[in-house]
């Protein structure tokens, strides 16, 4: 529970730094908290951080696309701040720190983890946004 | 409206999008949409470093107009992306004359930002949250928050003074490392690692790495390379900054 609140703050704060509109701030924070919950629970169940990140990315982008439909804003506004807690910035930093320390094995591990989770997040978002785009165009076609 | 005027509006919108950290496909989409709204055919090629557009009237294919716009600085400003998005969608419904469109775009460029104090507070609570998430205690969080206020302040000042972003990130991470290690010297119970990680959380380019890979998945290979290389350079400067601070403190004390 404590972590969920922290993840909420951890998406709400960056949302201010990224300058999103005031009325959307709270939704971005909520989306981040749900994403973090998904990440933690999958991580505890499976033990694979890349799989957990992938699941969280999928959850976050589904919520962002739905919110974007309801609140009529681009979905970027929601998923950029809410991805902030799970994005692999810190593991990229550890990679460099290990290289400086000449711990090459640890550096390789962290580096691969960074690339893997970045790829997983990107692929998760792409998957969901493609599906939603297909649904949108399909709706327009069937109407017209 | 003339082809040249339509293109200049399209390129200006693209420029605002790109400097606000938008994805490449959105910029190309917007340019196509604005040109299409005025009944002009266009072909656009967008990279994070610049926009290349050339357009022509439907009935006169021989006379095309080209515009190139170089982009130098990129930040993340999601509000601008939202505003341009609604602007281009409104254009599709009702086209407006050149000067009105230009006025709207200039207004978007100067759209209000959160006040400096609010952003400082946001940076500090972000660092507090991440320091505690990285197994720190509340006291660690407070230290991280103080450091992050300081480095966000330095970062913004250096951005205004037009320093290179690598240099300012280096200075900020060096300061973060230095302060947290010296705080750890005085108070034994502190978790130095959590403080450092929490305070540099507002610097690390995790989103840039992810966006780079997303561009690659969309088929924009050139911009993906550019973004990933930029992110790698930034993360290297941060790592070197903190690493130097750690080494320095090890030999000094």
């Amino acid at each position: 529970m404590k972590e969920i609140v922290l993840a909420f703050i951890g998406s709400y704060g960056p949302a201010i730094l990224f300058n999103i509109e005031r009325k959307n701030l709270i939704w971005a924070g909520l989306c981040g908290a749900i994403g973090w919950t998904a990440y933690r629970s999958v991580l505890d169940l499976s033990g694979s951080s890349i799989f957990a990140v992938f699941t969280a990315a999928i959850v976050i982008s589904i919520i962002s696309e739905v919110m974007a439909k309801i609140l009529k804003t681009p979905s970027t506004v929601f998923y950029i701040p809410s991805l902030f807690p799970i994005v692999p910035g810190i593991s990229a930093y550890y990679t460099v720190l290990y290289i400086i320390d000449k711990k090459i094995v640890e550096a390789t591990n962290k580096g691969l983890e960074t690339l893997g989770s970045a790829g997983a997040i990107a692929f998760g978002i792409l998957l969901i946004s493609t599906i939603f785009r297909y649904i949108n165009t399909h709706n327009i076609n069937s109407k017209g | 409206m003339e082809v040249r005027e339509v293109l200049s509006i399209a390129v200006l919108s693209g420029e605002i999008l790109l400097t606000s950290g938008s994805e490449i496909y959105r910029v190309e989409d917007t340019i196509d949409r604005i040109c299409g709204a005025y009944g002009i055919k266009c072909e656009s090629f967008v990279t994070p470093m610049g926009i290349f557009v050339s357009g022509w009237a439907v009935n006169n294919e021989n006379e095309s107009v080209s515009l190139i716009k170089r982009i130098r600085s990129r930040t993340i400003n999601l509000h601008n992306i939202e505003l341009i998005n609604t602007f281009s969608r409104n254009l599709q419904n009702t086209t407006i004359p050149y000067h009105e469109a230009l006025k709207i775009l200039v207004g978007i460029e100067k759209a209000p930002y959160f006040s400096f104090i609010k952003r400082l507070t946001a940076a500090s609570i972000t660092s507090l949250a991440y320091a505690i998430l990285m197994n720190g205690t509340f006291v660690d969080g407070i230290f991280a928050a103080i450091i992050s206020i300081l480095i966000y302040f330095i970062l913004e000042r250096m951005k205004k003074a037009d320093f290179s972003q690598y240099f300012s990130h280096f200075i900020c991470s060096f300061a973060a490392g230095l302060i947290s290690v010296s705080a750890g010297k005085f108070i034994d119970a502190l978790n130095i690692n959590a403080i450092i990680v929490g305070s540099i959380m507002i610097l690390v380019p995790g989103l840039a790495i992810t966006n780079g890979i997303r561009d690659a998945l969309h088929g924009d290979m050139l911009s993906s390379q550019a973004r990933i290389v930029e992110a790698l350079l930034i993360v290297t400067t941060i790592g070197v900054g903190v690493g130097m601070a750690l080494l320095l403190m090890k030999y000094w004390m």
Side-chain angles (χ1 to χ4, degrees), chain B residues 120-164:
Chain B
L120 273 182
T121 323
S124 67
I125 61 163
T126 310
S127 293
L128 184 123
Y130 284 108
I132 301 176
L133 264 185
M134 301 292 161
N135 302 324
T137 59
F138 188 71
V139 183
D140 298 335
I142 297 289
F143 268 97
I146 295 169
I147 295 171
S148 115
I149 288 179
L150 186 74
I151 61 180
Y152 193 77
F153 185 78
I154 300 176
L155 203 66
E156 288 286 294
R157 275 295 130 89
M158 287 183 110
K159 203 188 268 174
K160 262 189 200 141
D162 232 11
F163 275 102
S164 141

Side-chain angles (χ1 to χ4, degrees), chain A residues 49-84:
Chain A
S49 74
I50 291 180
F51 184 58
V53 161
F54 181 65
T55 320
I58 284 184
V59 169
I60 286 175
S61 40
I62 289 177
I63 300 172
S64 326
E65 294 280 354
V66 172
M67 277 184 183
K69 274 244 163 309
I70 299 171
L71 297 170
K72 296 207 170 14
T73 49
S75 55
T76 330
V77 170
F78 298 109
Y79 64 68
I80 297 274
S82 35
L83 282 176
F84 201 82

Side-chain angles (χ1 to χ4, degrees), chain B residues 147 172-182 192 196 241-242 245-246 249:
Chain B
I147 295 171
C172 287
S173 51
F174 185 68
L178 217 59
I179 297 172
S180 35
V181 175
S182 26
I192 296 171
I196 295 179
V242 174
L246 291 181
M249 295 309 278

Side-chain angles (χ1 to χ4, degrees), chain B:
Chain B
M1 210 153 88
E2 275 183 46
V3 179
R4 186 179 301 278
E5 292 175 336
V6 176
L7 279 194
S8 68
I9 285 179
V11 168
L12 185 56
S13 323
E15 185 191 353
I16 295 177
L17 278 181
L18 213 49
T19 48
S20 309
S22 164
E23 312 92 319
I24 298 299
Y25 78 87
R26 190 186 297 280
V27 181
E28 288 181 347
D29 251 20
T30 306
I31 290 174
D32 288 353
R33 203 182 294 149
I34 292 176
C35 289
Y38 287 102
I40 282 170
K41 297 224 166 187
C42 76
E43 201 60 53
S44 61
F45 176 58
V46 179
T47 71
M49 292 85 66
I51 302 175
F52 308 77
V53 188
S54 117
W56 59 91
V58 181
N59 50 13
N60 188 2
E61 283 188 22
N62 293 326
E63 281 180 35
S64 70
V65 179
S66 298
L67 277 182
I68 297 177
K69 184 79 203 173
R70 179 79 165 89
I71 309 287
R72 293 194 192 276
S73 72
R74 288 172 295 277
T75 51
I76 298 184
N77 185 337
L78 296 175
H79 191 45
N80 279 359
I81 295 180
E82 200 182 327
L83 289 176
I84 294 282
N85 206 51
T86 37
F87 168 74
S88 68
R89 276 179 202 282
N90 288 343
L91 271 190
Q92 273 184 315
N93 298 332
T94 45
T95 53
I96 51 174
Y98 176 66
H99 289 289
E100 271 180 50
L102 205 64
K103 210 185 276 173
I104 294 177
L105 286 177
V106 171
I108 291 176
E109 243 180 340
K110 290 178 185 149
Y113 217 87
F114 282 100
S115 68
F116 190 57
I117 301 293
K118 266 188 194 153
R119 276 179 286 147
L120 273 182
T121 323
S124 67
I125 61 163
T126 310
S127 293
L128 184 123
Y130 284 108
I132 301 176
L133 264 185
M134 301 292 161
N135 302 324
T137 59
F138 188 71
V139 183
D140 298 335
I142 297 289
F143 268 97
I146 295 169
I147 295 171
S148 115
I149 288 179
L150 186 74
I151 61 180
Y152 193 77
F153 185 78
I154 300 176
L155 203 66
E156 288 286 294
R157 275 295 130 89
M158 287 183 110
K159 203 188 268 174
K160 262 189 200 141
D162 232 11
F163 275 102
S164 141
Q165 57 171 342
Y166 306 110
F167 184 67
S168 54
H169 276 74
F170 174 77
I171 295 289
C172 287
S173 51
F174 185 68
L178 217 59
I179 297 172
S180 35
V181 175
S182 26
K185 291 280 176 203
F186 290 113
I187 309 169
D188 275 339
L190 289 182
N191 181 349
I192 296 171
N193 201 30
I195 299 179
I196 295 179
V197 167
S199 51
I200 62 165
M201 194 70 198
I202 55 171
L203 300 177
V204 287
L207 273 173
I209 300 177
T210 311
N211 280 342
I213 294 184
R214 273 187 63 204
D215 278 345
L217 292 177
H218 274 288
D220 301 313
M221 290 303 167
L222 209 60
S223 42
S224 132
Q225 306 263 320
R227 279 188 214 261
I228 291 179
V229 169
E230 191 184 18
L232 284 184
L233 280 176
I234 288 181
V235 84
T236 311
T237 47
I238 295 174
V240 170
V242 174
M244 261 180 72
L246 291 181
L247 281 180
L248 221 75
M249 295 309 278
K250 210 189 267 174
Y251 290 117
W252 259 354
M253 298 196 194

